[in-house]
Amino acid sequence: MIWRAILDAVFPAQCAACNALGSALCATCAPPMPAFSVAHPGLRVVATGWYDGALRTAILALKDGRRDVAEALGARIAPAIEPGSLLVPVPTTRARLRTRGLDGVALVAATAAYLANATVLHTLEHRVGDTQRGRTRDERLAAHGRFCAREPLEGRACTLIDDVCTTGATLTDCALAIRSAGASVTGAVVVAATKSPTSWR
């Protein structure tokens, strides 16, 4: 904690959207707002905003490896998480982990869990090293079986955590993997969701 305070003093956080000092995502650019439900077949999904403007800029900064942004986004989703929940972050691919040096969604989940008195379980992994980025909507929706759980999960109730939800295919696939391992899925909490209604089925 002392070292963190020193680092914050020497290298103060800078808003990913407007570059103002003091926060990785300032309240002026992305005011806190109550989480809202987004349509998803078979899964309760809540988001803290739409994937545009400052929130989109922050998520892209997260994908580029900004740890401070991960913490800011974790604080943003924490109020939407039930105390005592078991949070399962959607994992990044090994290739992206090597490139970025961190798993942004895992860090978001860690901060949210700390603030919400929840627990993080890193159980999901990619079966293959592919990604949804660059795929068409139909290709995203058709992708199944990309994830598996590392361990049996009988009797557990899990909440998925992700940064952004576009078609909902990744959450569907992760929920399938968790249920196949014997657990239930209470829902998912994401930082942002796309606005287009044609993105969802």
Side-chain angles (χ1 to χ4, degrees):
M1 296 298 291
I2 295 176
W3 282 111
R4 180 55 186 270
I6 294 173
L7 287 173
D8 287 344
V10 177
F11 304 104
Q14 189 173 24
C15 179
C18 71
N19 296 321
L21 297 179
S23 172
L25 182 62
C26 72
T28 300
C29 291
M33 61 181 291
F36 55 89
S37 297
V38 271
H40 187 287
L43 192 64
R44 178 178 177 270
V45 180
V46 297
T48 68
W50 297 112
Y51 185 58
D52 60 11
L55 202 51
R56 179 178 182 275
T57 300
I59 290 173
L60 292 176
L62 171 70
K63 292 180 182 296
D64 284 338
R66 280 192 57 177
R67 185 178 296 269
D68 58 338
V69 172
E71 294 173 355
L73 296 181
R76 184 179 178 90
I77 70 169
I81 293 170
E82 292 289 333
S85 295
L86 183 62
L87 309 183
V88 178
V90 174
T92 189
T93 63
R94 291 186 179 89
R96 293 194 181 281
L97 184 59
R98 288 193 296 270
T99 300
R100 298 168 182 167
L102 57 82
D103 184 331
V105 175
L107 290 176
V108 169
T111 298
Y114 174 77
L115 296 174
N117 192 27
T119 303
V120 179
L121 178 64
H122 299 282
T123 187
L124 289 176
E125 62 183 3
H126 285 263
R127 289 185 185 276
V128 291
D130 69 338
T131 176
Q132 289 286 59
R133 181 177 292 184
R135 287 179 169 172
T136 66
R137 171 177 171 269
D138 287 341
E139 288 171 340
R140 286 171 179 256
L141 291 168
H144 297 294
R146 294 178 299 120
F147 300 92
C148 64
R150 297 189 182 100
E151 64 213 283
L153 300 172
E154 284 84 357
R156 299 193 178 189
C158 305
T159 299
L160 291 168
I161 302 293
D162 205 359
D163 52 2
V164 61
C165 194
T166 51
T167 64
T170 294
L171 292 177
T172 297
D173 215 7
C174 287
L176 177 62
I178 290 174
R179 289 166 179 154
S180 296
S184 62
V185 181
T186 59
V189 178
V190 299
V191 176
T194 55
K195 283 185 175 180
S196 174
T198 59
S199 298
W200 298 89
R201 264 187 198 168

